[in-house]
């Protein structure tokens, strides 16, 4: 188990849990980043932050501090 | 009151216009649909205390006019700020002077149905008729997604209409469905939350005496630290919060912990509704947009493309706008000459040429930059690049407490703060947007350049590398001070929890020419209409301060006498030009020059004894610590409405006539010009400025770099923030900063010179 900010670009993983400040949790849930969902890391910005992720057909930009609240499991 | 579609003859029907609200996520084509529905019959509505705008327009379907309100794009109706609360209030009919919408059109993206239907399910809970418009069906086809609309409609329990807003396809059907739904007036069934949750909502509504809608009770339970908590605690007293906290812990015990219960319930319900109506390809289709995204967010290529694009943006507003601005200025000059020829000298003529025409010209001259910048922004936003630009710059901007979306407004402000401040509309977070607006005027705009060139040309031209370094230093002041001020503001006045910067990266698409034109014209009109009048008023005010008193000590009018001298000089010059005899030519030329000297001296005398000149003299003690005499102080004072006039004012004060700043900025030998020589001589004659000429020049430069000498900027801040407090604050802090900066510069310089 790791967090989404640690996942290298190009990998797909499954969300286990989302925690953190209420406003962040609510926004992530609203956008469909909730437990059981699959999410892929697409890219990192040139300065290493934020990261671009894809869930369903939505592409999102997340700051790494925010992505650190998304707990994920890597496949295999 | 309901509209009778087929009133019987002789029966009196009370009718009112139906209101339709348009709600959807950002980047769904909501504005495009709004434009397709309403055409050009639209206007912008503002609400007190919030920065959001809503567009309103009239549409026609089945021979019936109805009003359409375009709500700001949002992912969810869980308000966390007054701005977000306006949408909820409007949908519940709580906004004063606005009737509750008769029907809500929920616009969703066909390529991402499940996520977009999340907002739809919140609308279902509002107790108002809802219809769903599924947009971007062409894109869905490209993704090989098949949607069974009739089944989807049955499962959702509301009408579903497929549309392609950019082509206007399905818009008529949608309008008809909207009027029919409004006519029927039956609200849809809300999403089935677990019974334990329902019971808590009902309990809350009951304990508040039924004075709030079930939807607000829902929000109160679900939004931890949300705006409903604050608003309702204010209305019903602080005991409400203990009640809510108790309810939340009961819900957690019952396996319905907030806020997760909302997403789980809604998405669960949506999944069930969508299953069987949506066929996806086995393998996700890789579109050209995906490939583009790979390049645009790439470490090397993405950065290079970004830099090239930003250079183009800057070039566009800095260079392309110039000929248009000169054209506007030329037109103003031509009109002023016409007025001057047609009228006899006096206050009225002077008010027209130097007050009103200068004021109107001063407003219109911003239009090219504003419209070009907004065209560029519209293209970047419409095609989806804006989010990528913000993605690339976010880390850098977050260091000073801002976010990636502040970059383009601040970059634009290097050309001119007016379009830059208007461009902050792309920043959703209110505090980040305010911080960006407040520091944008610190960026070194092009109006500061003439003074930089003049003073650097006179005092800092040796050795050869100094002018370049000095000019770079002037720009550096803004680039360093603006982020620092932003950081301070975000830690003090605009403090708050770090806003969530989860940003959607919308799919790339080809921008629409019509949408771009609409944005351009909209921005231009908004500026002229809202800020223009304020700018004009301030220009007329400063004109009056420089015009009056206009009586010479002998009772004649400065205005009339200078006008006569000007005519004489012009006539003599023409005679000299026409003269064939060399002797006569020389004599006439000398006479013309003498007349011009006399004119410039008298003109300077007039302005020095004007209200503004007297103010400059009265304030001299305040200017002394900066190393300035009263003449420099007066020039700085006269520049408060528009800093570019400083060069012209210096010309007038030093008896050189009204010098054109554009020529000064272009003149490579500015130190040898009449004004350059006059400044050097004047400053040398004063015992204080004479000794410390370079520190004085530097202190004046620093003052102009940091001071908010621009009525247009303040007027635009007023317009964008909807309050006088922010422009007043900007003016106060920048003036203080400029004074302190100039003071330190001069005192340190004096110490070094010795």
């Amino acid at each position: 188990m790791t967090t989404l900010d640690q996942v290298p670009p190009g990998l797909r993983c499954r969300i286990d849990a989302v925690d953190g400040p209420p406003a962040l949790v609510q926004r992530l849930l609203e956008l469909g980043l909730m437990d059981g969902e699959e999410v892929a890391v697409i890219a990192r910005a040139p300065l290493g932050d934020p990261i671009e992720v894809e869930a369903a057909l939505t592409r999102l930009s997340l700051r790494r501090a925010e992505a650190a609240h998304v707990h994920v499991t890597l496949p295999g | 009151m309901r509209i009778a579609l087929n009133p019987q003859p002789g029966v009196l029907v009370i009718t009112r216009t139906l209101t339709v609200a348009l709600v959807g996520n950002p980047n769904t084509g909501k504005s495009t649909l709004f434009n397709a529905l309403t055409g050009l019959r639209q206007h912008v509505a503002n609400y007190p205390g919030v920065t959001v705008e809503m567009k309103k327009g009239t549409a026609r379907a089945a021979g019936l006019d109805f009003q359409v309100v375009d709500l700001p794009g949002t992912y969810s109706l869980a308000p966390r700020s007054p701005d977000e609360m306006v949408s909820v209030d409007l949908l519940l009919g709580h906004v004063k002077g606005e009737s509750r919408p008769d029907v809500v059109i929920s616009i969703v993206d066909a390529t991402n149905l499940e996520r977009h239907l999340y907002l739809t399910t919140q609308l279902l809970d509002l107790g108002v008729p809802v219809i769903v418009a599924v947009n971007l069906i062409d894109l869905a086809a490209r993704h090989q997604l098949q949607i069974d609309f009739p089944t989807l409609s049955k499962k959702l329990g509301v009408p579903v209409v497929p549309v392609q807003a950019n082509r206007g396809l399905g818009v008529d059907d949608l309008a008809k469905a909207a009027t029919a739904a409004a006519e029927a007036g039956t609200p849809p069934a809300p999403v089935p939350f677990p019974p334990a949750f329902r019971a808590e909502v009902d309990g809350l509504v009951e304990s508040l005496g039924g004075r709030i809608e079930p939807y607000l009770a829902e929000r109160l339970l679900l939004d931890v630290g949300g705006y409903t908590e604050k608003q309702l605690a204010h209305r019903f007293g602080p005991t409400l919060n203990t009640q809510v906290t108790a309810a939340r812990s009961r819900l957690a015990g019952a396996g319905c912990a907030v806020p997760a219960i909302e997403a789980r319930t809604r998405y669960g319900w949506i999944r069930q509704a969508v299953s069987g109506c949506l066929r996806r390809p086995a393998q996700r289709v890789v579109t050209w947009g995906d490939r583009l995204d790979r390049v645009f967010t790439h470490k090397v290529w993405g950065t290079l493309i970004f830099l090239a694009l930003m250079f183009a943006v800057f070039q566009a507003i800095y260079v392309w706008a110039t000929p248009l601005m000169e054209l506007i200025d030329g037109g103003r000059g031509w009109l002023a000459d016409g007025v001057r020829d047609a009228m006899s000298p006096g206050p009225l003529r002077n008010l027209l040429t130097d007050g009103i025409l200068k004021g109107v010209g001063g407003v219109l001259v911003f239009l090219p930059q504003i419209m070009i910048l907004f065209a560029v922004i519209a293209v970047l936003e419409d095609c989806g690049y804006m989010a990528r630009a913000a993605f690339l710059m976010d880390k850098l901007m977050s260091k000073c407490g801002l976010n990636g979306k502040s970059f383009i407004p601040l970059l634009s402000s290097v050309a001119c703060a007016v379009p830059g401040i208007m461009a902050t509309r792309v920043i959703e977070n209110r505090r980040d947007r305010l911080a960006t607006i407040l520091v944008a005027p610190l960026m070194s705009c092009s109006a500061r350049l003439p003074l930089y060139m003049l003073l650097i040309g006179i005092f800092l031209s040796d050795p050869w590398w100094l002018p370049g370094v000095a000019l770079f230093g002037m720009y550096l002041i803004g680039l360093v001070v603006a982020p620092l001020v932003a950081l301070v503001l975000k830690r003090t006045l605009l403090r708050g929890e770090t806003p969530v910067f989860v940003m959607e990266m919308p799919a790339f698409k080809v921008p629409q020419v019509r949408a771009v034109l609409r944005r351009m014209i909209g921005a231009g009109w908004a500026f002229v209409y809202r800020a223009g009048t304020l700018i004009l008023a301030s220009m007329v005010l400063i004109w009056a301060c420089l015009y009056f008193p206009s009586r010479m000590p002998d009772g004649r009018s400065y205005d009339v006498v200078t006008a006569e001298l000007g005519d004489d000089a012009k006539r003599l010059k023409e005679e000299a030009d026409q003269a064939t005899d060399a002797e006569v030519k020389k004599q006439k030329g000398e006479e013309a020059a003498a007349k011009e000297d006399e004119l410039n001296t008298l003109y300077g005398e007039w302005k020095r004894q004007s209200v503004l000149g007297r103010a400059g003299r009265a304030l001299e003690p305040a200017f002394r610590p900066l190393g300035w005499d009263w003449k420099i102080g007066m020039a700085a004072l006269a520049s408060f409405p528009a800093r570019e006039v400083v060069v012209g004012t210096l010309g007038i004060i030093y008896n050189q006539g009204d010098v054109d700043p554009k020529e000064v900025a272009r003149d490579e030998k500015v130190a040898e010009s009449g004004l350059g020589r006059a400044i050097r001589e004047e400053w040398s004659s004063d015992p204080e400025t004479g000794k410390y000429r370079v520190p004085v020049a530097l202190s004046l430069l620093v003052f102009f770099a940091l001071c908010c000498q621009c009525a247009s900027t303040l007027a635009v801040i007023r317009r964008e923030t909807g309050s006088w407090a922010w422009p007043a604050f900007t003016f106060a802090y920048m003036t203080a900063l400029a004074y302190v900066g100039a003071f330190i510069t001069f005192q340190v310089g004096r110490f070094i010179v010795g």
Side-chain angles (χ1 to χ4, degrees):
Chain A
M1 227 173 98
T2 178
T3 48
L4 191 57
D5 61 316
Q6 302 298 324
V7 178
L11 280 190
R12 192 165 272 280
C13 48
R14 183 178 291 277
I15 301 175
D16 295 321
V18 179
D19 62 14
L24 174 68
V25 174
Q26 204 170 12
R27 175 47 50 88
L28 293 175
L29 292 172
E30 284 164 0
L31 291 170
L33 290 179
M34 48 183 190
D35 47 320
E37 289 299 305
E38 272 206 353
V39 58
V41 177
I42 306 285
R44 274 185 194 163
L47 298 168
D49 191 16
I51 60 171
E52 184 181 9
V53 303
E54 186 181 78
L57 279 177
T58 309
R59 291 196 162 185
L60 299 171
S61 152
L62 287 182
R63 283 183 176 168
R64 292 187 69 170
E66 293 164 341
H69 288 293
V70 181
H71 302 271
V72 295
T73 313
L74 289 168
Chain B
M1 280 184 292
R2 284 279 154 219
I3 287 179
L5 280 174
N6 301 305
Q8 280 160 13
V11 177
L12 181 73
V13 254
I14 303 167
T15 59
R16 75 189 170 96
T17 334
L18 287 174
T19 306
V20 177
L22 210 54
V23 183
N25 286 194
N27 314 305
T28 350
K30 196 165 58 68
S31 300
T32 316
L33 179 62
F34 175 74
N35 292 334
L37 277 169
T38 62
L40 288 169
R41 292 169 296 170
Q42 46 175 270
H43 66 275
V44 174
N46 287 287
Y47 297 97
V50 294
T51 50
V52 290
E53 289 179 334
M54 291 184 201
K55 275 185 275 167
K56 281 187 188 173
T58 22
R60 176 173 275 266
L64 205 69
D65 277 337
F66 58 96
Q67 206 181 39
V68 189
V69 187
D70 185 17
L71 269 59
T74 180
Y75 295 108
S76 153
L77 282 178
R80 292 211 163 264
S81 68
D83 282 359
E84 291 171 5
M85 195 68 205
V86 175
S87 296
V88 178
D89 278 340
L90 192 107
L91 290 171
L92 291 173
H94 290 177
V95 175
K96 223 184 254 173
E98 299 286 344
S99 54
R100 189 177 186 192
D102 299 283
V103 60
V104 179
I105 296 178
S106 169
I107 177 167
V108 299
D109 179 345
T111 62
N112 201 347
L113 264 186
E114 294 177 11
R115 202 203 79 206
H116 283 256
L117 284 172
Y118 184 88
L119 179 60
T120 312
T121 62
Q122 290 181 326
L123 296 171
L124 295 179
D125 294 359
L126 284 170
V128 67
V130 174
I131 63 172
V132 175
V134 181
N135 192 24
L136 306 172
I137 43 176
D138 52 328
L139 223 69
R142 213 175 302 157
H143 279 279
Q144 295 169 22
L145 298 169
Q146 286 170 25
I147 303 167
D148 175 357
F149 294 102
T151 315
L152 185 63
S153 168
K154 211 176 289 162
K155 291 244 184 111
L156 294 175
V158 292
V160 175
V161 186
V163 296
Q164 195 185 327
N166 58 351
R167 290 269 158 82
L169 298 177
V171 172
D172 283 342
D173 293 342
L174 183 68
K176 274 180 211 143
T179 36
E183 172 67 11
T186 24
V191 175
F193 271 84
F197 185 81
R198 275 283 147 231
E200 290 293 351
V201 169
D202 293 344
L204 255 181
V205 173
E206 199 174 318
S207 79
L208 296 175
R211 276 176 294 166
I212 63 167
E213 289 84 354
Y215 187 72
L216 281 187
E218 244 175 59
R219 298 277 40 116
L220 190 56
L221 286 173
L222 290 168
D223 304 345
V224 183
Y227 193 73
T228 353
E229 272 182 11
K230 281 176 215 142
Q231 204 189 39
L232 294 180
H234 182 71
R235 204 169 131 201
F236 295 103
T239 48
L240 184 65
N241 279 343
T242 33
Q243 207 180 330
V244 170
T245 315
R248 280 179 191 153
S249 61
R250 276 196 301 274
L251 282 172
C256 302
V258 298
I261 185 66
E262 181 177 26
R264 200 166 306 142
T265 307
R266 295 194 189 282
Y267 275 120
W269 187 81
I270 291 166
R271 217 149 281 171
Q272 225 169 17
V274 168
S275 71
C277 341
L278 177 66
R279 286 237 311 269
R280 288 191 181 92
Q283 191 86 52
R284 189 183 174 288
V285 182
V286 178
T287 58
W288 58 270
D290 294 344
R291 289 187 204 108
L292 269 183
D293 209 14
R294 209 144 285 174
V295 181
F296 282 141
T297 56
H298 188 270
K299 267 187 170 41
V300 180
W301 303 125
T303 313
L304 284 178
I305 293 170
F306 174 76
L307 291 176
L309 265 173
M310 289 308 111
F311 177 73
V313 170
F314 188 71
Q315 195 74 359
I317 42 179
Y318 207 90
V319 176
W320 297 351
T322 311
L324 291 168
M325 291 164 78
E326 274 170 11
L327 208 67
I328 289 170
D329 201 44
R332 179 196 61 78
W334 180 79
L335 267 175
D337 285 345
V339 170
R340 214 166 280 139
D341 287 344
M343 292 172 70
S344 55
L348 188 62
R349 183 179 91 166
N350 210 297
L351 170 68
L352 277 176
T353 56
D354 285 6
I356 290 174
L357 276 177
K358 243 186 204 157
V360 172
V363 173
L364 295 182
V365 85
F366 288 108
L367 273 183
Q369 286 183 329
I370 289 174
M371 292 176 66
I372 291 175
L373 179 63
F374 269 79
V376 175
I377 286 178
V379 170
L380 292 183
E381 266 201 338
D382 219 28
C383 74
Y385 185 78
M386 204 57 138
R388 272 79 188 177
F391 175 75
L392 294 173
M393 293 316 291
D394 185 58
K395 179 77 182 170
L396 199 67
M397 301 308 287
S398 71
K399 290 222 192 296
C400 54
L402 302 173
N403 70 51
K405 294 194 173 176
S406 307
F407 186 80
I408 287 184
L410 289 181
L411 176 84
S412 317
S413 300
V414 178
C416 177
V418 169
I421 287 166
M422 291 176 77
T424 61
R425 285 179 205 175
V426 299
I427 307 168
E428 290 97 10
N429 182 271
R430 183 182 159 83
R431 274 179 285 123
D432 284 5
R433 180 169 172 218
L434 263 176
T436 312
I437 289 176
L438 298 183
V439 303
L442 283 169
M443 304 304 281
S444 223
C445 72
S446 55
R448 288 170 169 109
L449 198 58
L451 182 79
Y452 292 171
M453 297 305 273
L454 179 72
L455 292 184
I456 290 172
I458 300 172
F459 297 107
L460 301 165
S461 58
D462 212 35
W464 60 269
W465 50 265
L466 190 59
V469 171
L471 192 63
F472 180 70
M474 294 320 295
Y475 279 87
L476 206 59
I477 290 177
L479 292 178
V480 171
V481 175
L484 285 177
V485 173
L487 199 62
V488 171
L489 284 172
K490 287 300 296 277
R491 297 246 166 110
T492 54
L493 214 54
L494 301 173
R495 190 173 40 200
E497 55 183 301
T498 313
V500 179
F501 192 64
V502 181
M503 176 178 63
E504 189 182 6
M505 308 279 261
F508 283 106
K509 61 180 203 287
V510 179
Q512 262 189 288
V513 177
R514 245 197 308 173
V516 172
L517 283 177
R518 219 181 254 274
R519 274 293 276 290
M520 244 173 106
I521 293 164
W525 172 243
F527 171 75
V528 171
Y529 184 66
R530 303 278 185 70
T533 39
L534 279 172
I535 298 169
L536 180 60
S538 70
M539 293 293 214
V540 171
L541 184 73
I542 207 73
W543 165 84
C545 290
L546 269 169
Y547 185 86
F548 296 108
S550 61
R551 292 266 150 239
M552 290 166 67
D554 59 12
R556 288 182 300 162
S557 153
Y558 277 115
D559 195 5
V560 176
V561 176
T562 49
E564 283 165 6
L565 280 171
D567 287 344
D568 287 350
K570 205 168 137 196
R571 184 175 44 77
L572 284 165
K573 219 183 261 168
E574 274 164 16
E575 283 174 12
D577 285 345
Q578 280 158 8
T580 41
D581 185 67
E583 194 64 24
V584 177
K585 202 183 190 79
K586 195 177 157 217
Q587 194 200 337
K588 291 278 180 196
E590 276 167 6
E591 273 177 45
K595 278 277 182 223
E596 221 156 76
D597 275 349
E598 198 185 331
L599 166 69
N600 287 339
T601 309
L602 194 67
Y603 203 72
E605 194 183 300
W606 177 15
K607 298 307 165 190
R608 283 193 292 271
Q609 62 83 53
S610 69
V611 172
L612 201 72
R614 286 162 204 227
R617 213 169 307 193
L619 286 171
E620 188 166 24
F623 299 136
R624 269 296 167 195
L626 312 183
W628 307 353
D629 60 11
W630 70 269
K631 290 180 186 172
I632 303 174
M634 181 190 158
L637 272 186
S639 310
F640 270 93
R643 56 172 68 85
E644 56 268 35
V645 307
V646 67
V647 169
T649 315
L650 283 170
I652 292 167
I653 296 171
Y654 295 131
N655 295 343
Q656 299 299 315
D658 200 347
V659 178
D660 186 353
K662 282 197 292 289
E663 274 165 28
V664 167
R666 262 189 239 119
D667 192 355
E668 281 174 16
K669 293 203 165 42
V670 69
E672 301 311 316
S673 68
L675 179 59
R677 276 202 308 275
I679 288 178
R680 220 174 0 205
E681 280 164 21
E682 282 267 351
W683 288 18
S684 305
S685 66
D686 184 285
E688 178 89 356
T689 45
K691 189 170 173 195
Y692 304 114
R693 284 181 307 181
V694 174
V696 169
L698 285 174
S699 118
L700 190 58
L701 284 171
V702 168
F703 188 87
F704 269 74
L706 294 175
C707 199
C708 187
Q709 292 165 309
C710 184
S712 312
T713 298
L714 294 172
V716 165
I717 295 177
R718 153 86 181 92
R719 183 194 131 55
E720 294 296 315
T721 60
S723 139
W724 277 110
W726 293 114
F729 174 77
T730 309
F731 181 78
Y733 100 77
M734 284 183 71
T735 309
L737 207 62
Y739 191 87
V740 172
F743 176 77
I744 293 172
T745 308
F746 178 68
Q747 297 302 335
V748 170
R750 194 166 70 158
F751 181 76
I752 291 170
V753 174

